[in-house]
Amino acid sequence: KQMQWFRKDSNFVFIPVNLTNPKAERVDAATKSIREMIRMPRIDFEKELSLSEEDMRLSLQTKQQNQQQAKKMKFYHPKRHLLHEGSEPLEDVLKETFKCMKKLRDSKLP
């Protein structure tokens, strides 16, 4: 359902992620794209948002790929995980969170 909402939101920019790459590379590539958009002058960002069907920029291509994958995504069944105080899974999540926070702080975003 989220993909339906995002596809309808004209202010949402789709960023491609190559799922064949290792997780760290995927995260770094997505972070780099987001960082570039954050630093982009507002007028350039608005141009990126106002893509036409003829203008096959990266965001539009990714959006179309996501639409093609929509049928497969209907069969995704999320698995809930409970994170208990002091458990190893919770520690793993916290380590990953702190690593991401450090990466954002070190990137010196405006």
Side-chain angles (χ1 to χ4, degrees), residues 98-109:
F98 294 135
K99 193 167 100 177
C100 291
M101 289 169 58
K102 181 180 178 348
K103 227 182 222 188
L104 283 172
R105 275 195 298 266
D106 291 349
S107 69
K108 297 179 183 151
L109 293 175

Side-chain angles (χ1 to χ4, degrees), residues 30-66:
T31 302
K32 181 181 177 196
S33 295
I34 293 167
R35 188 178 300 122
E36 288 171 0
M37 282 188 245
I38 290 170
R39 292 180 176 154
M40 191 182 285
R42 184 68 188 185
I43 193 161
D44 293 341
F45 183 72
E46 294 292 335
K47 285 180 193 174
E48 189 73 24
L49 290 177
S50 63
L51 299 173
S52 66
E53 288 296 321
E54 303 86 44
D55 188 1
M56 292 298 290
R57 291 206 179 138
L58 202 50
S59 178
L60 182 57
Q61 290 173 7
T62 304
K63 183 177 179 180
Q64 289 173 340
Q65 287 171 355
N66 286 342

Side-chain angles (χ1 to χ4, degrees), residues 83-102:
L83 302 174
H84 298 284
E85 190 70 37
S87 69
E88 188 175 333
L90 177 60
E91 293 301 316
D92 292 343
V93 168
L94 291 174
K95 284 178 190 172
E96 186 71 23
T97 301
F98 294 135
K99 193 167 100 177
C100 291
M101 289 169 58
K102 181 180 178 348

